[in-house]
Amino acid sequence: MRFDSTLGLESRKGPLAVAARFVVYGLMVVAFTGPLVGLLVSAFSKTLDPTSFTLWPDEFTLENFIQAGDKNVYLYLLNSFVVVGFGLLLQMLVSVFAAYALARKKFRGMTVVMLLMLATMMLPEEIIAIPLSLVLADLPVLHLNLIGTYAGMILPVGAWGFSILVMTEFMKEVPVELEEAARIDGAGELRIFATIIVPLCRPALGVIGVFGFTMIWDQYLLPLIVATESTMWTLPIALRSLRSDEEVGIGVLLAASLLALLPSIIAFLAFQRQFMRGLTSGAIKG
């Protein structure tokens, strides 16, 4: 993103224009990275002063992270990784297969299916909380109780309308001629899907990977419904519990918050190339 282009500074020359660019860039850096730097420094600080801001802790220490371990924060972190790992894998598989059916096949009721998926994106989590808890307590057909299990936190996030819609629109842009040529060469449906469609949709996979990871990682209401014991809590629930615990210092809370933030940043960096390609491709095609 070019902030100088947005403000019309790119066409201006001279020392004032250069200074203006530095000011704009500096403000953007402070606005976007300031809170992150403050959290990072405070998590490693022994003494915290909420009224001051520094780029390096006065007394560097790992005590906050040690105390966080005593409060089972690392167990909650592991629970979050388990849920987001299996949940994201399931979500991407469901999205790819569902998008292939919606983008490449014609069947009755396809418009209704698309409308239903859009409708699910418009409903707040609070509205479906009670129906979801009833379904998880007695899974239809199988009559299984998923309350108190990791499966109860993973299965509901396995299908997300946003990911399916993104993949569907991207797959529609894949040339049909590629499939026809593969069929002439004797390729079957599954081989065409695995060797032609999916590789061409890598940018879209990066987009749904980043957004899907963030959506699952930030889940609060679903683990709150499913987890019957504190040992099953994910990190968002644990942060709320630590905040209300008077025995927990602010340093421990900040250390836990940093642990909750880092995976999202790492996930974005891991999918960054595909993510940017996916956004660019969508902008060009649109």
Side-chain angles (χ1 to χ4, degrees), residues 246-260:
E246 296 181 356
E247 297 181 359
V248 176
I250 185 64
V252 177
L253 183 60
L254 290 174
S257 300
L258 180 62
L259 292 174

Side-chain angles (χ1 to χ4, degrees), residues 80 82-95 125 128 132 136 146 150-164 208 211-223 226:
S80 293
V82 170
V83 173
V84 78
F86 287 100
L88 182 60
L89 177 61
L90 179 61
Q91 185 180 111
M92 295 182 75
L93 287 174
V94 171
S95 300
E125 291 184 346
I128 64 174
L132 181 60
L136 293 176
L146 298 182
Y150 287 104
M153 292 187 248
I154 294 172
L155 290 180
V157 300
W160 189 26
F162 174 81
S163 296
I164 296 175
I208 68 173
F211 282 105
F213 183 97
T214 304
M215 186 274 285
I216 300 173
W217 186 263
D218 292 339
Q219 280 290 322
Y220 178 82
L221 189 60
L222 178 60
V226 176

Side-chain angles (χ1 to χ4, degrees), residues 91-276:
Q91 185 180 111
M92 295 182 75
L93 287 174
V94 171
S95 300
V96 168
F97 282 105
Y100 182 71
L102 293 171
R104 316 306 283 188
K105 306 299 178 181
K106 302 296 181 182
F107 56 90
R108 288 185 177 181
M110 185 170 62
T111 304
V112 176
V113 173
M114 297 292 289
L115 289 175
L116 289 175
M117 285 192 299
L118 285 172
T120 61
M121 297 171 59
M122 300 176 186
L123 295 175
E125 291 184 346
E126 293 77 9
I127 293 180
I128 64 174
I130 295 178
L132 181 60
S133 63
L134 295 176
V135 171
L136 293 176
D138 185 12
L139 198 64
V141 182
L142 298 178
H143 298 292
L144 296 176
N145 183 8
L146 298 182
I147 299 296
T149 65
Y150 287 104
M153 292 187 248
I154 294 172
L155 290 180
V157 300
W160 189 26
F162 174 81
S163 296
I164 296 175
L165 291 175
V166 170
M167 289 300 304
T168 300
E169 294 303 316
F170 203 92
M171 283 189 183
K172 287 181 179 179
E173 301 298 329
V174 177
V176 181
E177 291 78 12
L178 295 176
E179 292 185 51
E180 296 174 348
R183 287 192 176 92
I184 293 175
D185 292 337
E189 194 77 25
L190 186 58
R191 185 177 179 182
I192 293 173
F193 172 76
T195 61
I196 296 178
I197 302 298
V198 174
L200 291 175
C201 293
R202 285 181 181 176
L205 290 173
V207 174
I208 68 173
V210 171
F211 282 105
F213 183 97
T214 304
M215 186 274 285
I216 300 173
W217 186 263
D218 292 339
Q219 280 290 322
Y220 178 82
L221 189 60
L222 178 60
L224 188 64
I225 294 173
V226 176
T228 55
E229 299 179 0
S230 60
T231 54
M232 290 188 62
W233 284 356
T234 55
L235 206 48
I237 300 179
L239 287 175
R240 182 64 183 87
S241 177
L242 291 175
R243 185 178 179 182
S244 60
D245 190 347
E246 296 181 356
E247 297 181 359
V248 176
I250 185 64
V252 177
L253 183 60
L254 290 174
S257 300
L258 180 62
L259 292 174
L261 177 64
L262 286 180
S264 297
I265 298 176
I266 295 173
F268 174 77
L269 295 177
F271 289 101
Q272 182 181 15
R273 181 177 300 178
Q274 289 81 5
F275 180 77
M276 298 307 297

Side-chain angles (χ1 to χ4, degrees), residues 49-108:
D49 184 4
T51 62
S52 64
F53 180 84
T54 178
L55 296 177
W56 188 260
D58 296 331
E59 297 183 53
F60 183 86
T61 181
L62 296 176
E63 184 64 26
N64 294 329
F65 292 91
I66 296 175
Q67 294 182 14
D70 296 336
K71 295 295 182 179
N72 294 327
V73 169
Y74 298 112
L75 173 62
Y76 306 141
L77 182 64
L78 178 61
N79 291 338
S80 293
F81 277 123
V82 170
V83 173
V84 78
F86 287 100
L88 182 60
L89 177 61
L90 179 61
Q91 185 180 111
M92 295 182 75
L93 287 174
V94 171
S95 300
V96 168
F97 282 105
Y100 182 71
L102 293 171
R104 316 306 283 188
K105 306 299 178 181
K106 302 296 181 182
F107 56 90
R108 288 185 177 181

